[in-house]
């Protein structure tokens, strides 16, 4: 027999690192749930930035394909024509959304869950749809930080509008110029996708009004706050440790519980640590952390190898302490300290540092470390943070202690700011400016300096002008974030003499730790990407069922229990008169006048006003089973009713009906058949006695 379905799961996109998280669609209890709605901001690298006199010598310099001659994938592209600055699209950029999401009817989405600010950036495109009416849940921190990031994106994009002029066409005209044979394959792949059907995912950027309208539809939740949707699904946000406000989701309903684990970090130096307790023992766990796969090494056949020393991971531990060791977090701190030391070396040599990293947690820690480092040294180098939302964002991070790690919570409790940048802003060692052309920035400017400026894509924002200013200075330093192709990203700025430091920070669970995580959480069923299942030996986890899922394929997940539980109050249970069934041992049944309701994700029995009528004194209203005529004759004789049995022969020779003739105390007839039992008599007392005899033979309620 086919198992009952718990829910349907479809991975719409596996994403691409921190800035482009995965996207899923679930169908639970008839409700369609979208998890995350990101933008692929790396795709805007195909557009030319708005800078003066840039890229004039770019054709002399190789693009990303020739940077590593040993890379097998790059070897293939090496034979193709080199990408030049002239190949970039010199028009107002469009933005690439999740392709598969456009195939779903927006009006049929019931719930949207946003796991972190990066998963929010594409949501205004969805809420613009006039049929969209879903409930949107995200943490308060994600809502605030995500809104500021979207507003900053719109303000940075405005420079393109000013440069290229207004264009409200519904189709990107620049696409027709890319559909030619001589256009480099790299550009075609970004625009059209590997299968050639990505064109529909490109959208013109939303406006500030669209952002405001979108955020009005959001219900922000606190840490571990449980909200109930439609009385059926209970939803809770639990810290993932990835960044401030980032969360995993716990969804429970009448058919079971489900946990969704997105990109996560167990121990963080700035954000609240991964919440293990809330995710333990769920019926199903969806593992959606692709970061370990995307940061994997590339083998000669183009396949990924997340662990080059041990391609098949089988080590399993059920000790949570092994996940909470500080090895990874200390390694991250060493990377941050190395960035600070490189910036100090550049400043000592007379060069400036441009940091285009925009991960809020990384920026906060770098500001703190750099300020402390400069304060303890003889260097007098100003730190500038140039962003339209910098002041509001940095102030906000000191108002959300529930999303910070314990050490920073303790600082707030003791009266200190959770992050050290506030002190240095007050001391005028960190300077905040909304734009690069701010009058106060011009008067305060001095070099060498350290500048934090968006955008990490190197296509918009203050980073474009500053990179153009310093690109010819070998003493200056450019700090890039992992996720940007240095070849394509830097193409408009070549030749570039600056030192370049590209940083890869932890943005998810290391694949080697997944078996231990599952052993600690103990879900009954785990959904993992197919590539993960190829790298890990789950055979030792006998109590856990593993299901593979693939991008753009719907997976049917079976229900753990066929019969969902029903809650009943003690007061109501005491009023019920239970009757033990004759035909099924250890089963009892009672009659209830009331209703079955769905509240807070659970079935509940509610009694009517006149519940006392359901007591054992009321006669049964329903019986089931078949009456054996001989047994009925014996039961009637015991209560003083005499009768005789007559068999009725059907057309095919079988015994269709049995008739019992009653002669004493008064005449009557009992007709027994497969369809039921009929009592025919003029004497109500006899009819009642016959009914009691049948009630004593059959199960009834």
């Amino acid at each position: 027999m086919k198992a009952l379905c718990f829910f349907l799961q479809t991975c719409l996109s596996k994403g691409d690192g921190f800035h482009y998280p995965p996207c899923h669609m679930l169908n639970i209890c008839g409700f369609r749930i979208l998890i995350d709605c990101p933008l692929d901001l790396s795709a805007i690298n195909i557009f030319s930035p708005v800078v003066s006199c840039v890229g004039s010598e770019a054709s002399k310099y190789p693009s990303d394909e020739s940077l590593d001659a040993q890379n097998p994938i790059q070897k293939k592209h090496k034979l193709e024509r080199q990408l030049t600055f002239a190949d970039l699209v010199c028009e107002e950029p469009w933005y690439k959304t999740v392709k598969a999401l456009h195939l779903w009817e927006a009006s049929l989405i019931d719930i949207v869950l946003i796991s972190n600010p990066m998963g929010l950036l594409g949501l205004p495109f969805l809420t613009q749809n006039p049929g969209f009416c879903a409930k949107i849940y995200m943490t308060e921190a994600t809502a605030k930080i995500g809104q500021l990031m979207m507003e900053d994106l719109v303000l940075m994009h405005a420079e393109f509008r000013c440069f290229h002029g207004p264009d409200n066409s519904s189709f990107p005209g620049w696409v027709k110029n890319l559909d030619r044979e001589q256009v480099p394959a790299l550009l075609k792949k970004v625009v059209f996708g590997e299968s050639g059907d990505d064109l529909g995912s490109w959208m013109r950027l939303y406006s500030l009004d669209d952002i405001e309208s979108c955020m009005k539809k959001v219900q922000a939740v606190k840490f571990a706050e449980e909200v109930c949707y439609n009385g059926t699904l209970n939803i809770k946000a639990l810290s993932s440790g990835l960044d401030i406000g980032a969360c995993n989701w716990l969804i429970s309903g009448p058919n079971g519980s489900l946990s969704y684990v997105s990109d996560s970090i167990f121990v963080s130096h700035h954000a609240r640590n991964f919440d293990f307790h809330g995710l333990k023992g769920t019926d199903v766990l969806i593992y959606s952390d692709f970061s370990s796969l995307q940061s994997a090494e590339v083998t000669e056949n183009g396949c990924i190898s997340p662990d080059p020393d041990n391609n098949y991971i089988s080590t399993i531990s059920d000790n949570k302490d092994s996940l909470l060791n500080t090895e990874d977090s200390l390694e991250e701190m060493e990377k941050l300290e190395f960035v600070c030391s490189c910036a100090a070396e550049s400043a000592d040599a007379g060069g400036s540092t441009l940091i285009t990293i925009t991960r809020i947690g990384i920026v906060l820690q770098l500001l703190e470390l750099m300020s402390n480092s400069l304060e303890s040294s003889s260097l007098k180098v100003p730190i500038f943070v140039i962003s339209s939302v910098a002041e509001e964002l940095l102030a906000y991070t000191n108002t959300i202690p529930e999303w910070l790690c314990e050490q920073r919570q303790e600082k707030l409790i003791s009266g200190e700011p959770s992050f050290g940048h506030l002190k240095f802003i007050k001391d005028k060692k960190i300077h905040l400016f909304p734009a690069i052309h701010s009058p106060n920035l011009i008067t305060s400017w001095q070099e060498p300096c350290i500048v934090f400026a968006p955008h990490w894509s190197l296509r918009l924002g203050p980073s474009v002008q500053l990179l153009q200013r310093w690109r010819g200075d070998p003493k200056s330093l450019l700090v890039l974030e992992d996720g940007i192709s240095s070849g394509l990203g830097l193409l408009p700025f070549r030749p570039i003499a600056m030192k370049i430091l590209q940083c890869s920070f932890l943005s998810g669970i290391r694949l080697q730790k997944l078996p231990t995580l599952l052993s600690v959480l103990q879900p009954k069923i785990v959904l993992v990407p197919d590539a993960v299942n190829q790298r890990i030996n789950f055979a030792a986890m006998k109590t856990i069922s593993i299901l593979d899922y693939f991008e753009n394929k719907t997976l049917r997940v079976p229900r753990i229990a066929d019969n969902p539980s029903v809650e009943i109050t003690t007061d109501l249970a005491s009023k019920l008169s239970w009757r033990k069934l004759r035909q099924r041992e250890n089963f009892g049944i009672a009659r209830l006048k009331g209703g079955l309701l769905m509240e807070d994700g659970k079935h509940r029995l509610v009694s009517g006003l006149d519940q006392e009528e359901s007591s054992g004194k009321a006669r049964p209203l329903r019986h089931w089973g078949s009456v054996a005529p001989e047994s009925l004759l014996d039961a009637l004789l015991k209560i003083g009713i005499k009768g005789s049995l007559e068999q009725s022969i059907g057309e095919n020779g079988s015994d269709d009906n049995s008739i019992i003739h009653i002669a004493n105390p008064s005449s009557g007839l009992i007709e027994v058949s497969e369809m039921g039992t009929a009592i025919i008599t003029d004497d109500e007392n006899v009819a009642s006695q016959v009914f009691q005899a049948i009630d004593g033979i059959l199960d009834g309620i």
Side-chain angles (χ1 to χ4, degrees):
M1 187 175 71
K2 193 174 184 180
L4 294 174
C5 181
F6 179 11
F7 69 95
L8 301 175
Q9 179 264 356
T10 308
C11 176
L12 303 184
S13 168
K14 62 183 180 182
D16 188 14
F18 175 86
H19 293 287
Y20 188 38
C23 176
H24 292 259
M25 187 75 77
L26 310 180
N27 193 321
I28 307 176
C29 296
F31 299 115
R32 191 166 286 171
I33 304 175
L34 173 66
I35 302 183
D36 290 323
C37 190
L39 280 182
D40 184 5
L41 290 174
S42 66
I44 64 172
N45 276 157
I46 68 167
F47 294 93
S48 173
V50 177
V51 289
S52 58
C53 304
V54 73
S56 57
E57 301 177 62
S59 60
K60 300 178 184 178
Y61 295 86
S63 64
D64 202 27
E65 286 81 10
S66 62
L67 292 177
D68 183 2
Q70 301 304 315
N71 190 308
I73 294 179
Q74 292 177 5
K75 285 179 182 179
K76 178 181 176 182
H77 293 296
K78 194 176 179 183
L79 300 175
E80 301 172 356
R81 180 175 72 78
Q82 294 294 331
L83 187 67
T84 68
F85 174 73
D87 293 314
L88 298 181
V89 180
C90 190
E91 291 193 34
E92 179 187 344
W94 285 45
Y95 293 78
K96 197 173 186 181
T97 59
V98 177
K99 175 187 67 176
L101 185 55
H102 297 273
L103 304 177
W104 297 74
E105 175 57 49
S107 62
L108 299 180
I109 299 174
D110 300 291
I111 303 171
V112 178
L113 302 179
I114 302 298
S115 305
N116 59 65
M118 302 311 301
L120 174 59
L121 300 188
L123 191 58
F125 290 119
L126 190 61
T127 57
Q128 286 175 1
N129 191 303
F132 179 85
C133 58
K135 193 77 173 178
I136 305 170
Y137 297 107
M138 64 187 76
T139 66
E140 292 176 324
T142 289
K144 182 63 176 179
I145 295 171
Q147 181 174 358
L148 291 174
M149 290 175 66
M150 290 190 292
E151 291 173 352
D152 195 32
L153 180 63
V154 169
L155 293 174
M156 289 187 291
H157 179 87
E159 190 173 5
F160 286 103
R161 291 262 173 96
C162 294
F163 185 79
H164 294 288
D167 180 10
N168 297 318
S169 60
S170 58
F171 183 82
W174 44 266
V175 170
K176 59 187 177 184
N177 298 324
L178 296 178
D179 200 18
R180 299 194 305 266
E181 212 173 294
Q182 59 269 33
V183 174
L186 179 60
L187 256 61
K188 285 187 175 182
K189 181 180 177 182
V190 173
V191 175
F192 301 107
E194 291 184 2
S195 56
D197 56 357
D198 282 11
L199 189 56
S201 62
W202 290 90
M203 307 283 286
R204 186 180 296 281
L205 188 62
Y206 40 74
S207 65
L208 291 175
D209 289 339
D210 293 328
I211 297 173
E212 183 180 2
S213 176
C214 171
M215 298 309 295
K216 285 180 179 178
K217 297 178 173 70
V218 170
Q219 179 176 337
V221 297
K222 300 181 184 298
F223 169 74
E225 176 189 358
E226 187 172 80
V227 293
C228 185
Y229 177 80
N230 200 40
T232 305
L233 297 178
N234 291 324
I235 301 170
K236 187 184 293 186
L238 302 168
S239 176
S240 68
L242 178 67
D243 214 336
I244 296 173
C247 70
N248 294 317
W249 292 100
L250 176 64
I251 306 171
S252 56
N255 296 331
S257 57
L258 178 151
S259 53
Y260 176 84
V261 177
S262 58
D263 295 345
S264 302
I265 295 175
F266 296 130
V267 179
S268 171
H269 276 287
H270 67 283
R272 192 183 189 103
N273 289 347
F274 184 95
D275 189 324
F276 292 91
H277 180 74
L279 299 175
K280 282 187 176 180
T282 58
D283 293 319
V284 179
L285 183 147
I286 301 177
Y287 183 74
S288 184
D289 189 336
F290 288 81
S291 60
S292 57
L293 301 177
Q294 288 145 356
S295 62
E297 293 190 359
V298 180
T299 62
E300 290 195 3
N301 60 1
C303 297
I304 57 170
S305 175
D307 185 2
D309 298 322
N310 180 17
N311 280 349
Y312 202 56
I313 301 168
S314 58
T315 303
I316 298 176
S317 168
D318 58 0
N319 185 5
K320 188 176 77 172
D321 293 339
S322 64
L323 300 176
L324 294 176
N325 65 58
T326 58
E327 181 181 341
D328 288 343
S329 58
L330 290 175
E331 184 180 329
E332 294 299 290
M333 287 303 296
E334 288 176 2
K335 293 178 185 177
L336 295 172
E337 290 168 355
F338 180 71
V339 173
C340 293
S341 65
C342 291
E345 287 177 10
S346 292
D348 195 35
S352 296
T353 297
L354 172 60
I355 301 173
T356 62
I357 295 171
T358 54
R359 287 177 59 168
I360 181 64
I362 300 298
V363 169
L364 291 172
Q365 292 177 89
L366 279 175
L367 282 173
E368 192 172 59
L369 288 172
M370 281 189 175
S371 301
N372 288 327
S373 175
L374 292 175
E375 189 176 44
S376 61
S377 70
S378 59
L379 287 173
K380 303 299 179 184
V381 180
I383 299 176
F384 298 104
V385 182
I386 307 174
S387 168
S388 62
V389 298
E391 186 173 357
E392 187 175 359
L393 187 56
L394 292 179
Y396 178 72
T397 55
N398 275 286
T399 65
I400 44 173
E402 67 271 21
W403 288 105
L404 302 181
C405 63
E406 288 185 8
Q407 299 92 324
R408 299 193 183 276
Q409 288 182 15
E410 290 171 0
K411 282 187 174 182
L412 278 178
I413 293 171
S414 62
E416 300 177 41
S418 55
F419 292 96
H421 60 260
L422 287 182
K423 172 183 178 296
F424 295 107
I425 291 173
K426 289 179 182 178
D427 294 343
K428 304 296 183 183
K429 294 178 180 178
I430 296 178
H431 308 271
L432 309 180
F433 297 99
I436 200 166
H437 48 74
S438 301
N440 291 338
L441 173 59
I442 297 172
T443 57
S444 304
W445 187 262
Q446 70 176 71
E447 296 184 21
C449 58
I450 299 171
V451 182
F452 290 79
H455 186 262
W456 61 268
S457 66
L458 304 182
R459 288 299 179 268
L460 67 171
S463 62
V464 174
Q465 286 84 356
L466 292 170
L467 182 53
Q468 172 63 15
R469 178 183 180 88
W470 293 325
R471 64 172 182 161
D473 183 5
K475 295 177 292 185
S476 292
L477 172 68
L478 171 63
V479 181
L480 296 175
E481 193 163 356
D482 186 41
I484 179 174
S485 165
S486 57
L488 182 58
L490 293 172
L491 182 61
F493 307 97
R494 295 189 183 277
I496 183 165
M498 294 176 72
K499 293 173 289 186
I500 299 173
L501 176 61
Q502 189 160 16
C503 305
S504 174
F505 295 103
L506 189 63
S507 58
I509 300 170
R510 296 191 189 278
L511 202 58
Q512 295 88 340
K513 295 187 176 183
L514 176 57
T516 301
L517 173 65
L518 298 182
S519 182
V520 170
L521 298 183
Q522 283 295 309
K524 297 179 180 67
I525 297 177
V526 179
L527 275 58
V528 297
D530 61 301
V532 170
N533 206 8
Q534 295 169 11
R535 295 289 183 247
I536 298 181
N537 180 13
F538 289 110
M541 311 183 77
K542 300 184 185 302
T543 60
I544 298 177
S545 176
I546 306 294
L547 300 178
D548 288 358
Y549 67 82
F550 300 81
E551 197 173 38
N552 293 318
K553 289 186 178 180
T554 298
L555 177 65
R556 183 180 182 275
V557 182
R559 190 186 298 178
I560 300 297
D562 289 344
N563 299 310
S565 60
V566 177
E567 283 193 356
I568 182 170
T569 63
T570 305
D571 180 58
L572 175 58
S574 65
K575 295 179 181 179
L576 298 178
S577 178
W578 294 93
R579 181 169 180 171
K580 192 172 182 180
L581 298 184
R582 297 179 180 86
Q583 299 178 8
R584 297 188 68 181
E585 293 184 5
N586 302 322
F587 274 79
I589 193 167
R591 198 165 83 219
L592 168 70
K593 187 172 183 179
L596 179 64
L597 302 181
M598 176 72 73
E599 288 182 352
D600 298 328
K602 298 176 182 178
H603 292 297
R604 285 193 170 91
L605 280 176
V606 181
S607 69
L609 297 177
D610 47 355
Q611 179 58 33
E612 55 276 1
E613 292 184 5
S614 298
S615 66
K617 297 178 181 179
R619 73 174 191 173
L621 300 178
R622 293 286 184 273
H623 291 87
W624 54 91
S626 58
V627 177
E630 294 81 4
S631 300
L632 180 55
L633 272 175
D634 293 340
L636 291 173
L637 188 59
K638 289 178 181 178
I639 58 176
I641 298 176
K642 296 180 180 179
S644 59
L645 179 62
E646 175 190 340
Q647 296 289 112
S648 176
I649 307 300
E651 295 179 358
N652 57 0
S654 62
D655 295 341
D656 285 341
N657 300 336
S658 297
I659 298 174
I660 298 176
H661 293 277
I662 300 174
N664 185 32
S666 44
S667 62
L669 192 71
I670 305 172
E671 186 176 353
V672 180
S673 69
E674 292 182 356
M675 301 301 295
T677 302
I679 305 170
I680 305 170
T681 180
D682 292 332
D683 191 332
E684 289 187 7
N685 185 47
V686 170
S688 176
Q689 288 180 304
V690 173
F691 181 86
Q692 289 178 11
I694 294 173
D695 183 44
I697 296 172
L698 298 179
D699 284 325
I701 185 173

